[in-house]
């Protein structure tokens, strides 16, 4: 895009209906057409301000006094995130990333005897590495033709040869794939098999309150929280069995799951996340989920027929992760670079390591947020066609 064209695309937020126009206006003016919420969303000015104010308060009051001042807001954050994940506030712990949350979960889970974990072929690559490093053997879960959990075959597996744990990534990172978590959780409960859910791409994007035994995520993607705040939530019936070493310095009143938190952390990030979650709740989670589903469909429709590219999963997926497959021999990493350098359009190259059991070749990923609009998609289509 020329500077002039880019300005026109960015100014087209005026065409958005409320509350999405307000959502866009609450954020610093972008330098790029941002289609990368699945990597990290854009924080609002209030989120950035809250985080900065906390850092300043640390220098003015002393860090631990500032932490005391922030405590009520952070307690509310725990309760709000717990509610979004369907788990009581005391079962919510903060970490620095989803990956760390999974590592803590693996270290605390009371495995006895066999250690197998059921996963779909679409599973996020680094999770597979973590399972293997944790001594878990993978068991393939049955999927339909699109990669969604096949619930009938899943129930048969739970009846006949259940893995020790089931793991589902609710929204895949590399393409628009949403798993039927509510139904899976109900089946797991019925058959007494624990369910873990990676909600990194799901929190703030789709309904995550489905009663899994453990859920982990990050605040920086669809909620638009600061970087460096991860979440681990474990359901109450599992607390007593967790294998947790309680440091002597930790008070007896600290709930067991919170003993998994690191003793030191960037509190400003959590304070920023508290603001992001308040904004999400104020907009109304259901309204945001619906809007993101609509945005995903808008993007799939606009991109259908783009010369040289094919929309992956060209059917109604209720999410805003959209993947394009190159069908004219394009190098996806180079395309991503060209879109950014020449057109100021930010996307992701989904390399096979993100889903090694499924992806044989890279895909181009777009993950627009609620401020997506036709002018943005037209610019993207034109930029792709120019390659
Ligand atoms: C599905 C999924 N799981 C886990 C992660 C890892 O998150 P983090 O970078 O916070 O460890 C990501 C990040 O992109 C992801 O998409």
């Amino acid at each position: 895009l020329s500077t002039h064209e880019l300005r026109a695309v960015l100014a087209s937020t005026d065409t958005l209906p409320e509350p999405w126009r307000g959502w866009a206006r609450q954020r610093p003016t972008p330098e790029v057409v941002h289609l990368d919420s699945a990597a990290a969303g854009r924080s609002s000015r209030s989120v950035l301000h809250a985080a900065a104010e906390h850092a300043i308060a640390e220098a003015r009051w002393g860090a631990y006094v500032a932490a005391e001042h922030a405590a009520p807001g952070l307690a509310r954050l725990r309760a709000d995130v717990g509610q979004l994940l369907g788990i009581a506030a005391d079962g919510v712990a903060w970490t620095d990333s989803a990956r760390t949350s999974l590592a803590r979960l693996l270290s605390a889970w009371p495995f006895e005897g066999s250690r197998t974990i059921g996963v779909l072929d679409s599973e996020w690559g680094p999770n597979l590495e973590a399972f293997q490093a944790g001594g878990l053997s993978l068991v393939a879960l049955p999927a339909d033709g699109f990669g969604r959990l096949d619930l009938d075959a899943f129930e048969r597996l739970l009846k006949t040869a259940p893995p020790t744990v089931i793991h589902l990534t609710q929204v895949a990172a590399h393409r628009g794939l949403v798993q039927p978590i509510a139904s899976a959780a109900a089946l797991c409960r019925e058959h007494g098999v624990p369910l873990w859910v990676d909600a990194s791409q799901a929190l703030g994007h789709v309904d995550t309150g489905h009663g899994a035994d453990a859920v982990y995520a990050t605040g920086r993607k669809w909620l638009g929280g600061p970087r460096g705040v991860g979440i681990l939530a474990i359901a109450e019936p599992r607390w007593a069995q967790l294998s947790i070493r309680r440091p002597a310095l930790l008070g007896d009143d600290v709930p067991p799951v919170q003993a998994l938190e690191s003793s030191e952390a960037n509190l400003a990030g959590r304070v920023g996340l508290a603001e992001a979650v308040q904004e999400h709740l104020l907009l109304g989670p259901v309204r945001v989920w619906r809007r993101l589903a609509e945005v995903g469909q808008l993007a799939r429709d606009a991109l259908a027929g783009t010369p040289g590219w094919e929309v992956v999963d060209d059917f109604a997926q209720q999410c805003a992760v959209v993947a394009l497959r190159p069908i004219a021999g394009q190098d996806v990493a180079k395309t991503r670079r060209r879109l950014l350098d020449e057109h100021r359009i930010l996307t992701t190259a989904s390399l096979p390591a993100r889903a090694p059991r499924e992806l044989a070749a890279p895909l181009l990923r777009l993950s627009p947020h609620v401020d997506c609009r036709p002018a943005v998609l037209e610019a993207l289509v034109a930029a792709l066609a120019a390659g």
Side-chain angles (χ1 to χ4, degrees):
L1 300 183
S2 67
T3 311
H4 176 71
E5 284 166 331
L6 177 69
R7 237 184 257 136
V9 170
L10 295 179
S12 66
T13 47
D14 291 348
T15 62
L16 280 166
E18 290 296 359
W20 317 123
R21 185 170 13 163
W23 186 97
R25 292 214 169 133
Q26 282 158 6
R27 278 147 178 82
T29 309
E31 298 287 347
V32 294
V33 176
H34 191 285
L35 300 174
D36 212 18
S37 307
R42 295 203 300 127
S43 292
S44 72
R45 282 198 191 84
S46 344
V47 168
L48 299 168
H49 184 73
E53 280 295 303
H54 184 81
I56 291 166
E58 287 184 342
R60 295 179 67 199
W61 288 88
Y64 293 87
V65 176
E68 283 170 25
H69 293 171
L74 294 180
R76 186 162 71 163
L77 174 65
R78 244 187 243 282
D80 290 342
V81 166
Q83 195 153 24
L84 288 170
L85 298 177
I87 287 179
D90 279 353
V92 175
W94 310 120
T95 66
D96 61 358
S97 64
R99 185 183 296 215
T100 300
S101 297
L102 177 57
R104 299 272 156 86
L105 177 60
L106 281 162
S107 72
W109 198 257
F111 287 107
E112 284 166 13
S114 80
R115 289 166 74 97
T116 57
I117 188 158
V119 295
L120 286 162
D121 279 351
S122 54
E123 186 54 61
W124 173 245
N127 288 351
L128 298 172
E129 289 168 26
F131 300 148
Q132 277 158 343
L136 289 163
S137 311
L138 305 180
V139 174
L141 294 179
D144 66 15
F146 297 115
R148 286 173 300 195
L149 184 68
D150 175 336
L151 290 166
D152 292 334
F154 180 55
E155 183 164 23
R156 286 196 293 277
L157 179 79
L158 292 179
K159 273 187 192 151
T160 54
T164 320
V165 175
I166 302 296
H167 183 278
L168 294 171
T169 289
Q170 185 168 1
V171 177
H174 61 292
R175 65 184 176 100
L177 177 62
V178 185
Q179 297 302 336
I181 298 292
S183 309
L187 287 173
C188 284
R189 258 196 310 277
E190 193 182 323
H191 294 279
V193 181
L195 172 65
W196 296 357
V197 173
D198 178 345
S200 303
Q201 294 295 353
L203 183 60
H205 186 180
V206 299
D207 188 356
T208 44
H210 291 312
D213 294 274
V215 190
Y216 60 96
T218 162
R220 75 174 184 277
K221 295 178 187 287
W222 298 92
L223 286 174
R227 292 193 65 179
V229 186
I231 298 153
L232 170 61
I234 302 178
E236 187 163 3
R238 303 282 172 186
W239 295 352
Q241 308 144 21
L242 295 174
S243 133
I244 287 169
R245 259 202 298 136
R246 249 179 194 283
L249 270 178
L250 202 69
D252 287 341
D253 55 335
V254 172
V257 178
Q258 286 163 35
L260 293 169
E261 289 180 358
S262 135
S263 58
E264 173 51 0
N266 180 0
L267 250 64
R270 294 183 193 166
V271 169
L273 179 61
E275 182 64 24
V277 167
Q278 286 311 305
E279 287 175 355
H280 181 66
L281 296 178
L282 216 66
L283 273 172
V286 176
R287 187 153 63 154
V288 174
W289 305 335
R290 284 203 190 119
R291 171 65 182 166
L292 288 171
E294 179 183 77
V295 156
Q297 199 50 50
L298 209 69
R300 287 181 199 97
D301 290 347
L303 288 156
T306 304
W309 297 90
E310 182 180 75
V311 179
V312 179
D313 298 329
D314 190 15
F315 64 98
Q317 271 293 347
Q318 301 293 301
C319 76
V321 176
V322 178
L324 292 177
R325 181 180 292 122
I327 51 174
Q330 306 94 314
D331 179 316
V332 171
K334 281 190 185 144
T335 301
R336 183 244 170 214
R337 176 69 24 225
R338 181 178 67 77
L339 290 175
L340 183 58
D341 292 350
E342 294 177 19
H343 301 275
R344 296 247 218 141
I345 298 176
L346 180 61
T347 60
T348 295
S350 284
L351 303 178
R354 285 167 182 251
R357 286 159 71 95
E358 174 182 279
L359 268 188
L363 300 172
L364 185 70
R365 180 185 71 186
L366 322 163
S367 45
H369 216 296
V370 293
D371 60 338
C372 186
R373 51 210 182 265
V376 162
L377 298 168
E378 283 158 22
L380 173 65
V381 170
L384 283 169

